[in-house]
Amino acid sequence: MTENLLPPARVLGIETSCDETAAAVVEDGRRALSSVVASQAELHAKYGGVFPEEASREHIRTIYAVVEEALQQAHLSLDDIDAIAVTQGPGLPGSLVVGLNFAKGLALGGGKPLIGVNHLEGHIYSAWLDPKDGEPEPAFPLVALVVSGGHTELALMTSHLTYQRLGGTLDDAAGEAFDKVGRLLGLGYPGGPAIQAAAAGGDPAAFAFPRAWLEGTFDFSFSGLKTAVLHQVRDLKRKTLTPEAAAAVKDWNAVDAPLPTADLAASFQQAVVEVLATKARFAAQQHNAKELIVAGGVSANAALRALVTKDTPGRVHIPALKYCTDNAAMIAAAGYYRHALGMSAAEPMAMDALPNWAVGS
Ligand code: KG4
Ligand code: ZN
C-alpha cells in the first residue's frame, strides 16, 4: 500500500488520554499543519505523578481553546476538515471522555466522520509525521517499540493498522521506571527528562545495575532495576551515618545525604536504554523488518536515540522530539489511515472510551 493510492484528507486530531490536552491538523497522514499541546506537568508535579481528577478537570478547562488554536495555526476552519480523530483509549477514563465527548460534539455539529484511535497506535504513527525532504514513508514489515509512561510494547506490523504483539513489559513501563527513579533521586516529575539532564555529567558505568534480559522472549521487566537503585541509594545514605543512627532510621526518604546523583542517573539510564535498544534490534532482525520505529515519551531520551541509531542495521525511525511525548498530530496521522481505509465509526455517538484498549485488538 503506498501513500499516493489513498485519498487526500485533512484530519483534526484530539488527544486527552493522560495529562496533555492536545489538538492538531494533519494533511494526508503526514504533514502536520499545526500541533498544539497544553501540558499539565506543572499541575501534577506537586503530587509527584498524575492526579486523575485534576487531569480531567484541566482537560475540560483547556480543550476548547486548544482545538481553536490548532485550527487557527493551520489557517483553517472546521469546514475545511474532512474527519475528526480522537484518542479512544488506552488512558485515564475521566480524561479520555473529555476528548471523546468534545470530538463527538464537533463531528455531530459539523457533520464529519469520527475516528477512534488507539493511543499506542498514535505513538507508532508519529513516525509518519513531517518527513524530511525525500524521506520515504516507513515500509512494512516493520517492528515498532512503544516506550511511554504507561506502556512498553514491541509489535510487528506487516501492513497499515495491523499489529502482532511480540512482547511487552511484565511490570513497570520504561517511562514509569524513569518517573519512579526520578522521584527516588529527588529529581521531581516527570522523571525522564530530569534523569536525562542529571545523567549528562555522570558515568554510566559507575554502578552495575541489573539488566533483565528475559532471554528467548521480547518481554521486558524494570521493577528489579528500580529496586536495585533503591537499595543502592539506601546503602549510600547508610554509609554517611553511624551504625546506631542507621539502625534508628524509619524512613530512608527522609534522610538527607549527598548522593552521586549524576552517576546514579547515568547508570540507571544506561541499564534501561541498553535493554530497550538490544531487544528492539533483535526483534527487527528476527522478523526481517525493513525498519525499526521507536516511539513514545521515552524515545525522546538522547541516550536511547543514539544507541538505537548506532546499533540497528537498516532504517530506524524515531520521531522528532515534539512528537515523542503525547501530542495530537500522531492521533490525526493514525486517524488518517483509519479514515482512508474505511474504518470511521459507523455510530459515532455510541463510541465509548476504552481505558484498557490493547493495540491491535
Ligand atoms: O508518551 P508519553 O508522553 O505519555 C504516555 O503515553 O505515557 O510518555 C511520558 C513518559 C514519562 O514517563 C516521561 O518520564 C518519559 O516519557 N520521558 C522520558 C524523556 N522524556 C519523557 N524518559 C526518558 N528520557 C526522556 N528524555
Ligand atoms: Zn503516550
Side-chain angles (χ1 to χ4, degrees):
M1 175 112 24
T2 56
E3 188 184 15
N4 55 13
L5 292 178
L6 298 176
R10 282 186 191 133
V11 177
L12 169 68
I14 296 177
E15 152 68 38
T16 63
S17 68
C18 189
D19 62 341
E20 260 95 24
T21 318
V25 179
V26 172
E27 202 165 55
D28 304 340
R30 305 210 69 193
R31 278 175 301 282
L33 305 182
S34 64
S35 178
V36 178
V37 180
S39 171
Q40 305 176 0
E42 258 179 51
L43 181 74
H44 300 290
K46 60 178 177 286
Y47 305 113
V50 178
F51 190 135
E53 278 174 31
E54 283 275 359
S56 55
R57 255 182 261 139
E58 187 62 15
H59 286 309
I60 292 169
R61 280 194 282 269
T62 323
I63 189 154
Y64 187 92
V66 167
V67 171
E68 204 168 43
E69 175 82 17
L71 287 169
Q72 261 170 22
Q73 282 187 15
H75 305 292
L76 297 173
S77 74
L78 193 58
D79 289 346
D80 306 309
I81 298 296
D82 298 297
I84 294 165
V86 62
T87 307
Q88 197 178 354
L92 299 169
S95 290
L96 287 167
V97 293
V98 177
L100 190 56
N101 286 342
F102 197 86
K104 281 181 182 176
L106 286 182
L108 188 65
K112 313 282 177 192
L114 184 64
I115 307 137
V117 171
N118 182 292
H119 180 82
L120 302 183
E121 169 175 83
H123 274 303
I124 294 172
Y125 274 84
S126 60
W128 268 258
L129 285 168
D130 285 359
K132 292 184 203 84
D133 277 348
E135 186 189 8
E137 67 178 298
F140 303 107
L142 62 81
V143 162
L145 172 67
V146 181
V147 270
S148 70
H151 294 87
T152 299
E153 294 278 322
L154 254 179
L156 173 68
M157 290 177 76
T158 50
S159 62
H160 274 299
L161 308 172
T162 62
Y163 310 91
Q164 183 193 326
R165 187 174 189 272
L166 303 176
T169 185
L170 304 178
D171 40 58
D172 292 349
E176 192 179 355
F178 270 97
D179 292 336
K180 287 179 176 169
V181 170
R183 211 173 301 145
L184 189 70
L185 298 180
L187 297 172
Y189 173 84
I195 287 186
Q196 174 172 323
D203 174 6
F207 297 97
F209 290 134
R211 278 92 168 130
W213 291 110
L214 306 180
E215 279 175 39
T217 76
F218 289 120
D219 288 330
F220 300 89
S221 166
F222 296 107
S223 72
L225 170 60
K226 177 194 63 193
T227 308
V229 179
L230 177 76
H231 287 153
Q232 184 66 65
V233 166
R234 279 193 193 161
D235 285 351
L236 289 164
K237 286 184 174 175
R238 188 175 286 118
K239 284 190 187 132
T240 66
L241 302 176
T242 61
E244 298 72 37
V249 170
K250 296 211 168 52
D251 176 9
W252 282 100
N253 289 328
V255 177
D256 200 14
L259 290 173
T261 307
D263 286 348
L264 286 164
S267 302
F268 161 77
Q269 176 176 265
Q270 185 63 19
V272 176
V273 306
E274 248 177 58
V275 173
L276 292 174
T278 306
K279 297 202 95 159
R281 183 181 77 231
F282 278 167
Q285 282 168 337
Q286 187 168 329
H287 292 278
N288 293 320
K290 291 193 178 135
E291 346 232 332
L292 171 65
I293 290 175
V294 182
V298 180
S299 71
N301 184 271
L304 178 62
R305 295 170 84 91
L307 195 59
V308 169
T309 313
K310 176 167 90 55
D311 269 10
T312 311
R315 272 168 47 191
V316 177
H317 258 98
I318 311 179
L321 285 180
K322 63 179 171 181
Y323 299 133
C324 290
T325 43
D326 287 350
N327 66 88
M330 68 185 199
I331 302 303
Y336 166 78
Y337 288 97
R338 282 186 169 249
H339 175 63
L341 297 169
M343 295 167 71
S344 304
E347 287 188 61
M349 294 310 126
M351 253 169 74
D352 276 332
L354 303 172
N356 300 312
W357 188 8
V359 70
S361 64

